[in-house]
Amino acid sequence: MKALGVTGSGSGLTDVDLAAPSPTGTEVVLQVDRCGVCHSDVHLWEGGFDFGGETMSLEAMQIPFPLVLGHEILGTVCEVGPDAEDIAVGDRRIVYPWIGCGHCVKCASGRDDLCPDQQALGIRKPGGFGEKVCVPHSKYLVDPGDIDPSWAATLACSGLTAYGAVRKCLPAESDRPVVVIGAGGVGLSAISILRALGHSNILAVDIDDQHLAAAQDAGAAKTINTSSVPDPVETLMTAAGGPIAAVIDFVNGPMTAPLAFALPEKGGTVVQVGLFGGAFPLPLAGMAVRAISLQGSYVGSLQELRDLVGLARTGRLRPPPIAERQKGEASEVLAGLRDGKIVGRVVLEG
Ligand SMILES: [Zn+2]
Ligand SMILES: [Zn+2]
């Protein structure tokens, strides 16, 4: 089976030849139809993550090599194990890639996304940059209905990450201001989800006017380019027209964190989503006095993916801009993402 893999930290993407998966037990094998390219792929491609300090290499994270990237997968079932149920060859499905160990407390409660020994596709197990993927159970497959196939693929990570973050800043009354920092693909999805859930007072923040134009199209009531205003906090407070209920930071780096923590009202929420990395000194007493809730958010649960796909199938959600490219262009796409040159999402075909 042909695949694009990483063979070590900083190796770049190389062609690798792997044995095609053959399903046993409840396993299901899918032919990959589409696979989105994500910022996490950029970190894996570059060779590590910055968790606040120095970059942690893939070797230090004990990532097995070759690592076949790609966790935003839409595929067609091509083979099923003898014990697989509720699935048939030919079914087209979105793959929930955030698969847990299957036997811990979190997995038992349906929260594979919080499993301490997660075996995510495209991060620890072969992902969608290969021709086929193997999923341990049909419960990880979600029917996309007739929504656009490329958009369907992106729901598994960028869509789910946006949905999981939005759920954490609710319930806030629908007219209360919510600030979305970072109008890349995930931020745009969050704006669209907030709108679909009835929220109207959404403020989008970015340093790129093209991203902000896309945010307006996605449903942001106001857009602010923080690189062109002298006092972003003051500008946002005024633009919000009232105390800000929640801030979702899709960048989450030292350049956005001071803004994210300065904005919420007393009792408000900061949801940290982005994996930009770095560190930020937190004003500790201020956090207590303002009773701020600080909530990290990493992808989302299997049930949240089902809920999100259900919302997408109602037609109330607006897809972010999506460009389709061939798998052979993956390295170029990763470089474009790294350099902030891509508006919305890119999905690889075939
Ligand atoms: Zn992702
Ligand atoms: Zn587990």
Side-chain angles (χ1 to χ4, degrees):
M1 174 182 89
K2 287 191 175 57
L4 290 170
V6 168
T7 54
S9 282
S11 72
L13 271 189
T14 50
D15 290 318
V16 292
D17 214 347
L18 300 175
S22 178
T24 59
T26 60
E27 289 176 342
V28 179
V29 174
L30 299 95
Q31 183 83 33
V32 176
D33 297 326
R34 306 286 165 103
C35 187
V37 186
C38 177
H39 266 285
S40 312
D41 294 319
V42 175
H43 292 294
L44 293 164
W45 171 67
E46 287 193 311
F49 287 83
D50 177 357
F51 290 114
E54 57 195 54
T55 298
M56 193 172 191
S57 71
L58 306 187
E59 287 79 3
M61 290 168 68
Q62 299 185 320
I63 301 264
F65 299 114
L67 166 66
V68 179
L69 299 182
H71 52 267
E72 289 189 338
I73 305 163
L74 177 79
T76 302
V77 175
C78 59
E79 246 184 301
V80 298
D83 304 324
E85 292 178 350
D86 304 322
I87 197 76
V89 169
D91 287 346
R92 196 173 227 201
R93 293 290 184 268
I94 299 167
V95 177
Y96 178 81
W98 313 109
I99 296 167
C101 69
H103 44 74
C104 72
V105 176
K106 298 295 183 188
C107 287
S109 66
R111 293 303 305 266
D112 287 59
D113 55 313
L114 301 178
C115 173
D117 188 23
Q118 201 178 60
Q119 301 296 310
L121 301 183
I123 295 173
R124 297 212 172 259
K125 298 282 186 189
F129 284 19
E131 291 172 306
K132 293 179 179 178
V133 289
C134 184
V135 178
H137 195 281
S138 64
K139 71 178 178 183
Y140 296 113
L141 303 173
V142 182
D143 185 352
D146 57 3
I147 63 173
D148 172 74
S150 292
W151 183 34
T154 67
L155 294 179
C157 179
S158 79
L160 180 60
T161 298
Y163 189 77
V166 165
R167 298 295 333 175
K168 290 179 180 71
C169 71
L170 301 179
E173 294 81 358
S174 58
D175 58 343
R176 300 293 316 286
V178 176
V179 174
V180 173
I181 299 178
V186 186
L188 294 177
S189 296
I191 292 166
S192 174
I193 290 164
L194 280 162
R195 281 306 293 255
L197 295 176
H199 283 263
S200 52
N201 199 348
I202 306 159
L203 296 96
V205 172
D206 205 290
I207 52 171
D208 181 307
D209 285 335
Q210 210 185 345
H211 287 190
L212 290 170
Q216 197 162 22
D217 288 346
K222 291 185 179 138
T223 62
I224 288 110
N225 186 328
T226 45
S227 68
S228 61
V229 295
D231 186 344
V233 174
E234 177 66 32
T235 304
L236 271 151
M237 295 277 202
T238 306
I244 292 168
V247 178
I248 312 177
D249 188 352
F250 287 105
V251 181
N252 199 24
M255 74 298 270
T256 58
L259 182 63
F261 286 97
L263 291 173
E265 64 184 342
K266 271 194 169 184
T269 304
V270 177
V271 183
Q272 295 180 282
V273 192
L275 297 179
F276 184 91
F280 165 65
L282 207 55
L284 297 173
M287 294 294 291
V289 171
R290 290 166 60 209
I292 300 287
S293 294
L294 176 56
Q295 171 82 67
S297 189
Y298 180 65
V299 297
S301 68
L302 177 55
Q303 187 55 48
E304 283 175 329
L305 179 62
R306 293 180 185 135
D307 293 345
L308 171 63
V309 173
L311 186 62
R313 290 177 65 172
T314 65
R316 284 190 288 141
L317 216 52
R318 190 190 163 108
I322 295 176
E324 281 140 3
R325 307 280 282 275
Q326 297 304 307
K327 269 202 178 128
E329 298 171 273
S331 295
E332 196 185 308
V333 172
L334 288 163
L337 267 177
R338 176 196 59 200
D339 299 338
K341 298 270 192 288
I342 288 173
V343 177
R345 303 295 285 188
V346 175
V347 172
L348 304 177
E349 292 183 303

